[in-house]
Amino acid sequence: DIVMTQTPLSSPVTLGQPASISCRSSQSLVHTDGNTYLSWLHQRPGQPPRLLIYTISNRFSGVPDRFSGSGAGTDFTLKISRVEAEDVGVYYCMQATQSVTFGQGTKVEIK
Amino acid sequence: QVQLEESGPGLVRPSQTLALTCTVSGDSITSDDYYWSWIRQHPGRDLEWIGYIYYSGGTFYNPSLRSRATISLDTSKNQFSLKLTSVTAADTAMYYCVGGGNNYGLIVYWGQGTLVTVSS
């Protein structure tokens, strides 16, 4: 299995300030078709996760442009340029290159 | 917009079979390139992918659950289902059905989830 490791596991942030979450995979996520199936999900309390970013850096429909994804190979980052109150919750990285596995989640809360 | 809704018993006895159904609306379950997955979330926050069924019927499972899980399609009802045999307390979790295309990394549209408790 590909193991996904996120840091930090908890991130207190100030409204209006940037936030960043890192995700590292135990092996390269480059698929034989040339794509890298690394996604980011956001889960608010009591709700299912929702897709934010797919294939490293593509924002899904309706996702605000303050969210951005970057990285390659085994190291990836999700950035929020200016945190808003609705951004609290748990963020997960996920890979679908080989089977499907998730990171442990990073809890984002307002200071 | 694809919408998914899980249904099934909320309580299952140990050693019995967990059976859940996902009803899909907004698109056909046989639409090209769609993958239909089951994912569970244990109390706390860990997410665990159980497996998927491709729109054409092919399946792929998490190796750790392959011996107990079966996912199937019912094209006449636009549904897909999960059966998990020989359940224990460790199978207590929120179960989500999820759909998505390969271009989006398979995991796109989520149901609201259904809580399944394994207890006698």
Side-chain angles (χ1 to χ4, degrees), chain B residues 44-104:
Chain B
R45 58 194 196 205
D46 285 359
L47 290 164
E48 182 179 32
W49 173 75
I50 298 170
Y52 63 62
I53 188 164
Y54 197 36
Y55 74 102
S56 59
T59 53
F60 189 46
Y61 297 101
N62 185 326
S64 68
L65 293 167
R66 183 181 295 135
S67 63
R68 297 195 293 129
T70 303
I71 299 174
S72 58
L73 288 178
D74 185 338
T75 57
S76 66
K77 296 180 180 178
N78 220 43
Q79 295 175 335
F80 65 105
S81 299
L82 168 70
K83 289 188 178 178
L84 188 66
T85 61
S86 304
V87 298
T88 70
D91 295 307
T92 293
M94 183 72 81
Y95 285 75
Y96 295 101
C97 59
V98 184
N102 190 53
N103 290 343
Y104 294 96

